[in-house]
Amino acid sequence: MEKHYSDSQVKGVSTGTTILAAIFDGGVVIGSDSRASIGGEYVSSKTINKVIQVHDKIFCCIAGSLADAQAVTKAAKSHLSFHSVQMESPPLVIAAASVLKELCYKNKEELQAGFITAGWDRKKGPQVYVVSLGGMLISQPVTIGGSGSTFIYGYVDAKYKPKMTKEECLQFATNALALAMGRDNVSGGVVHLVVIMKKGVEHVVVPGDKLPRFHDE
Amino acid sequence: MLGEAEPQWLSEEVKTGTTIIAIEFNGGVVLGSDSRVSAGSSVVNRVMNKLSPLHDKIYCALSGSAADAQTIAEMVNYQLDVHSMEIGEDPLVRSAATLVRNISYKYKEELSANLIVAGWDRRGGGQVFATLKGLLTRQPFAVGGSGSSYVYGFVDAEYRKGMSKEECQQFVVNTLSLAMNRDGSSGGVAYLVTIDEHCTEEKVILGNDLPTFFDQ
């Protein structure tokens, strides 16, 4: 039946969003769109930032219920800062992802949120972790999430290359998010990107009129 | 001994759960499809050709309920034969698409099939028509089926006007391969049909010959 592919409720309750993270040579890019909508009928915010900082060089994006996600990230932030004081060093990216995973797994009956965690640490360099709805934790070089992600699986599979340069990866992420925003009615607005590398963190915002345009626009 | 549960596929409707695509180039069209037919979670046919001829130079690509799609294609095949005899020459692609649209629209509530109609005729050259849910629209390319959602981004990014026949064939094969990798209801082999003024060529690309991507 055609309905199931055009239905945006792919993973239970989606925030109506597109999120992405990708590793390049020397760092990682994590990004999202900026639209918050109510039931796909009303855009309640055109410019929210869905990329949340949980530590200096660790960011995460949420897919799923916004309320659950905020509660979990708040709990994770405080766990992580305590953990980092105990260890006397910045937390590893996998530590941040594991904290999220523990919360998601232990509370899997009540929660409906999944996360993409991306960051840089001294032990393993740039990493991307996905914590899925039930609490599975896996590491991937590139990952996408949210309702808009269904439309760009083909694009990401075809266009992602390991060891891209920072500029190539930024262009890849911007294109992917723009394509998803073009097809998913609950993703839109501007593209928020965060680039995390050894030397620091850089925020990039691509406003609507600067987004790449494709053949039918 | 407890009664055995009936296998799921006996009670599930047979869907083509599929990826189909058609694209026009200067002088013709290329159609492509996967080959998986599923009933619930079982694959009941792994080599079905979903590109069905409506006339010598007009094909349609089937998706949705297998029974509905096949029936529409057979009915239109018959109606097109009659029409072509009445006018005494080869039918237009738009005529074939209109016949498909008429059935899809009239029986909108009962049917759940989506056909893409594409072909070549002397008046308009290569043309692709989408007939989803009873609308009729001509497009430079069209994708359909459950696997199509995964490749909207890819086709939006990669399509350019004025591609050659070989570029279109490569575009179709890449798109099918990407969709088949992500959609559980698409898979098997890829069927390709290229229609132009001089010939209609059918091709099969086996699973291991399909293009692979960075994580395979």
Side-chain angles (χ1 to χ4, degrees):
Chain A
M1 181 79 95
E2 301 320 298
K3 269 207 320 195
H4 80 265
Y5 76 81
S6 61
D7 187 355
S8 67
Q9 306 306 323
V10 173
K11 296 184 232 187
V13 180
S14 268
T15 47
T17 204
T18 311
I19 52 180
L20 169 156
I23 297 181
F24 63 89
D25 189 14
V28 57
V29 169
I30 180 167
S32 77
D33 72 307
S34 71
R35 177 174 290 182
S37 69
I38 301 183
E41 284 178 358
Y42 173 66
V43 176
S44 49
S45 170
K46 293 186 267 187
T47 51
I48 74 168
N49 188 352
K50 303 177 192 178
V51 184
I52 301 180
Q53 182 163 26
V54 293
H55 207 263
D56 295 346
K57 292 215 177 80
I58 309 178
F59 285 72
C60 72
C61 279
I62 324 141
S65 147
L66 210 36
D68 287 346
Q70 286 185 339
V72 171
T73 45
K74 229 171 155 199
K77 257 188 188 172
S78 74
H79 271 275
L80 268 180
S81 63
F82 185 62
H83 168 78
S84 136
V85 164
Q86 275 188 315
M87 305 290 285
E88 291 178 15
S89 71
L92 298 177
V93 187
I94 193 167
S98 299
V99 166
L100 292 167
K101 177 212 63 172
E102 280 302 302
L103 291 164
C104 286
Y105 183 69
K106 294 252 158 68
N107 299 299
K108 64 157 68 158
E109 310 301 326
E110 288 94 0
L111 290 177
Q112 282 227 303
F115 299 85
I116 295 180
T117 309
W120 187 94
D121 64 43
R122 227 176 8 212
K123 190 167 170 192
K124 279 186 164 174
Q127 298 143 77
V128 169
Y129 293 94
V130 180
V131 177
S132 72
L133 225 50
M136 173 186 77
L137 172 63
I138 54 170
S139 170
Q140 291 187 299
V142 62
T143 189
I144 51 182
S147 59
S149 67
T150 45
F151 304 106
I152 50 173
Y153 273 106
Y155 182 78
V156 168
D157 283 346
K159 292 293 166 177
Y160 176 77
K161 306 271 176 296
K163 300 217 170 301
M164 289 192 275
T165 66
K166 176 178 122 174
E167 287 67 33
E168 286 173 335
C169 196
L170 277 170
Q171 190 59 56
F172 162 79
T174 311
N175 286 347
L177 289 168
L179 287 164
M181 283 152 59
R183 285 290 182 177
D184 182 25
N185 63 328
V186 288
S187 298
V190 307
V191 166
H192 284 290
L193 293 169
V194 175
V195 185
I196 310 165
M197 296 181 289
K198 176 172 178 179
K199 62 178 190 227
V201 165
E202 192 187 320
H203 291 260
V204 177
V205 175
V206 185
D209 58 346
K210 301 275 189 307
L211 287 174
R213 296 157 79 89
F214 299 97
H215 72 97
D216 55 358
E217 299 170 80
Chain B
M1 172 131 113
L2 292 171
E4 276 168 21
E6 179 185 74
Q8 195 189 19
W9 51 266
L10 279 179
S11 49
E12 293 273 355
E13 189 194 354
V14 174
K15 305 251 171 71
T16 52
T18 208
T19 309
I20 51 176
I21 174 172
I23 178 170
E24 78 177 57
F25 59 90
N26 187 5
V29 293
V30 179
L31 292 103
S33 83
D34 72 307
S35 67
R36 179 172 293 183
V37 181
S38 49
S41 56
S42 311
V43 175
V44 295
N45 185 341
R46 58 192 169 110
V47 286
M48 173 169 176
N49 190 343
K50 301 172 191 178
L51 303 177
S52 186
L54 297 177
H55 203 82
D56 299 337
K57 289 200 184 300
I58 307 175
Y59 271 63
C60 69
L62 316 173
S63 74
S65 151
D68 289 348
Q70 280 190 333
T71 307
I72 298 176
E74 281 171 15
M75 281 169 66
V76 173
N77 187 338
Y78 166 73
Q79 290 171 351
L80 213 49
D81 268 345
V82 170
H83 170 72
S84 134
M85 269 189 283
E86 284 175 348
I87 62 175
E89 59 180 24
D90 285 340
L92 297 178
V93 185
R94 186 174 277 273
S95 310
T98 304
L99 289 169
V100 172
R101 188 274 310 267
N102 290 346
I103 300 175
S104 308
Y105 183 69
K106 186 166 180 192
Y107 300 103
K108 192 189 240 244
E109 306 304 322
E110 294 98 324
L111 295 174
S112 63
N114 173 22
L115 273 67
I116 297 178
V117 179
W120 182 93
D121 63 47
R122 223 179 16 214
R123 205 190 286 184
Q127 296 148 75
V128 172
F129 289 87
T131 66
L132 180 61
K133 300 240 200 291
L135 78 84
L136 177 65
T137 165
R138 179 172 172 195
Q139 296 175 191
F141 70 90
V143 291
S146 56
S148 66
S149 15
Y150 301 103
V151 290
Y152 273 115
F154 178 76
V155 300
D156 281 344
E158 289 296 286
Y159 174 77
R160 293 173 326 275
K161 270 170 64 158
M163 290 199 280
S164 70
K165 176 165 90 164
E166 289 71 26
E167 287 172 326
C168 283
Q169 286 171 328
Q170 193 57 51
F171 175 83
V172 166
V173 167
N174 285 344
T175 309
L176 287 172
S177 183
L178 287 164
M180 283 154 67
N181 282 337
R182 286 293 181 177
D183 181 28
S185 314
S186 300
V189 304
Y191 287 101
L192 236 69
V193 168
T194 311
I195 308 173
D196 63 19
E197 180 177 0
H198 307 288
C199 70
T200 302
E201 184 199 343
E202 294 192 7
K203 208 156 85 140
V204 182
I205 302 181
L206 299 180
N208 56 334
D209 294 330
L210 286 170
T212 56
F213 301 94
F214 81 94
D215 54 353
Q216 293 167 277

